[in-house]
């Protein structure tokens, strides 16, 4: 069993395997499930993601009215051909937001790795699907590769906003998506690790400051930032750009930053944007005194 990214990449290189193959083997060993059973479970996750994207693109609104409809606006803007950031990038952003808007509206999503960051991985995956001509099995492999890196983070640092800030949620999700994108695009295991490190480094220190303590503002838009960061980081790694700080050390740095982050900035809804005049006013409007 691998416990670090270094061990994961070494195993891939020593056995001439893709990251998803190593993850599959580990899942079978740990869970005792067959290959077909694991693929079946992952297929269910993929379908859940696909439906959430579709529902969000159609348009949803949260019970509070704080979020909803932004994914629709982005898709309309995309259809007008005015995108400055590029069609694939904007598509990923809109689908990431669509998923998180569904989460805010109490719809069904697949936590990747958390509900608050659930839009990043599917947003990236469903945007690159046609660009890379991914079939259903390829998409399952994307999820497995994402999961391999998420496994390392969860066991060596944190994926909880309450424990480590939004860097641990959207930051981890973005890095997971970046690594999986590289493999889907034909990159090496080492390049996937580089993409993960580059991506997570870009989100270190990101606080968790949900307005009114709800996973809506600024969470939905942070999923957009995570998706765009993932794609840019994947491109950098595929181009040969590397991280001067090893991947496992970046994960350790994220953990230590989270440990020193004030509690007001770790999902308590007291600091950051939640502590602004508008944030406090919205909280009072929703919950009263």
């Amino acid at each position: 069993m691998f416990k670090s990214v270094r061990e994961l990449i070494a195993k891939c290189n020593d056995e001439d395997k893709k990251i998803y193959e190593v993850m599959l083997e580990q899942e079978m060993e740990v869970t005792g499930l067959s290959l077909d059973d694991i693929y079946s479970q992952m297929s269910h996750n993929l379908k859940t993601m696909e439906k959430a994207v579709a529902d969000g693109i159609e348009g949803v609104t949260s019970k509070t009215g704080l979020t909803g409809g932004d994914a629709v606006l982005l898709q309309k803007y995309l259809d007008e051909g005015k995108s400055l950031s590029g069609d694939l990038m904007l598509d990923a952003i809109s689908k990431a937001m669509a998923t998180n808007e569904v989460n805010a509206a109490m719809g069904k999503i697949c936590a990747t790795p958390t509900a608050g960051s659930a839009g990043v991985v599917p947003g990236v995956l469903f945007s690159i699907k046609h660009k890379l001509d991914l079939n259903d099995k390829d998409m399952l492999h994307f999820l497995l590769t994402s999961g391999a890196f998420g496994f390392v983070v969860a066991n060596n640092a944190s994926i909880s906003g309450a424990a480590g800030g939004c860097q641990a949620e959207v930051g981890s999700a973005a890095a997971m998506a970046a690594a999986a994108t590289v493999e889907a695009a034909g990159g090496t295991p080492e390049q996937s690790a580089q993409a993960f490190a580059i991506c997570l480094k870009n989100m270190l220190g990101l606080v968790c400051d949900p307005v009114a303590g709800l996973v809506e503002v600024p969470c939905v838009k942070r999923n957009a930032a995570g998706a765009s960061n993932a794609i840019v980081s994947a491109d950098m790694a595929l181009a040969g750009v590397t991280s001067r700080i090893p991947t496992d050390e970046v994960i350790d740095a994220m953990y230590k930053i989270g440990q020193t982050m004030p509690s007001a900035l770790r999902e308590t809804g007291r600091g950051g944007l939640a502590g602004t005049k508008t944030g406090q006013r919205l909280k009072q409007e929703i919950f009263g005194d």
Side-chain angles (χ1 to χ4, degrees):
M1 179 185 294
F2 62 87
K3 296 181 180 179
S4 66
V5 173
R6 181 184 59 79
E7 291 175 353
L8 171 61
I9 302 308
K11 191 171 182 65
C12 288
N13 292 336
D14 292 345
E15 300 177 12
D16 192 25
K17 291 177 179 175
K18 299 287 189 180
I19 295 169
Y20 80 81
E21 293 177 307
V22 174
M23 188 60 179
L24 270 173
E25 290 177 353
Q26 178 157 298
E27 281 292 290
M28 288 189 288
E29 179 183 341
V30 171
T31 66
L33 296 174
S34 68
L35 183 67
D36 288 341
D37 286 338
I38 292 172
Y39 271 127
S40 178
Q41 288 186 355
M42 294 304 289
S43 181
H44 173 71
N45 294 338
L46 181 64
K47 290 176 181 176
T48 300
M49 293 177 183
E50 187 171 26
K51 186 176 187 306
V53 168
D55 289 347
I57 294 298
E58 284 295 315
V60 295
T61 303
S62 69
K63 298 294 184 181
T64 64
L66 287 177
T67 54
D70 287 342
V72 176
L73 292 177
L74 285 168
Q75 282 292 320
K76 288 181 179 178
Y77 179 66
L78 182 60
D79 290 341
E80 293 171 357
K82 298 178 180 179
S83 168
L84 299 177
S85 54
D87 290 355
L88 188 147
M89 181 74 79
L90 194 60
D91 190 45
I93 289 170
S94 67
K95 288 173 177 174
M97 292 181 68
T99 302
N100 218 243
E101 286 180 334
V102 167
N103 176 63
M106 305 303 288
K108 183 183 287 187
I109 52 87
C110 181
T112 48
T114 65
S117 61
V120 179
V121 169
V124 173
L125 174 55
F126 286 101
S127 69
I128 66 170
K129 175 182 177 181
H130 299 296
K131 173 76 173 180
L132 299 180
D133 194 27
L134 304 180
N135 58 36
D136 287 346
K137 187 60 72 70
D138 294 329
M139 296 176 79
L140 296 182
H141 294 163
F142 182 101
L143 297 183
L144 285 161
T145 300
S146 297
F149 283 89
F151 172 85
V152 173
V153 176
N155 284 280
N156 290 279
S158 175
I159 56 171
S160 165
C166 199
Q167 59 167 3
E169 292 203 25
V170 171
S172 295
M176 290 160 57
T181 298
V182 167
E183 184 163 88
T188 66
E190 178 59 31
Q191 286 177 318
S192 285
Q194 295 297 330
F196 184 97
I198 292 168
C199 191
L200 187 58
K201 285 196 302 184
N202 291 338
M203 305 196 88
L204 290 180
L206 184 59
V207 302
C208 184
D209 52 351
V211 171
L214 302 171
V215 187
E216 298 193 49
V217 178
C219 316
V220 172
K221 295 180 181 68
R222 283 192 179 151
N223 275 255
S228 59
N229 187 16
I231 292 173
V232 170
S233 298
D235 262 338
M236 291 175 72
L238 288 166
V241 177
T242 60
S243 171
R244 297 299 183 188
I245 308 299
T247 311
D248 290 308
E249 291 185 32
V250 175
I251 294 172
D252 184 57
M254 188 263 281
Y255 173 72
K256 291 178 179 177
I257 291 169
Q259 290 294 296
T260 58
M261 192 177 289
S263 62
L265 301 177
R266 287 188 279 122
E267 208 172 335
T268 56
R270 294 189 288 114
L273 296 176
T276 62
K277 290 181 180 179
T278 299
Q280 290 297 301
R281 175 178 58 78
L282 290 170
K283 178 182 178 181
Q284 186 173 32
E285 289 176 1
I286 294 168
F287 295 115
D289 295 328

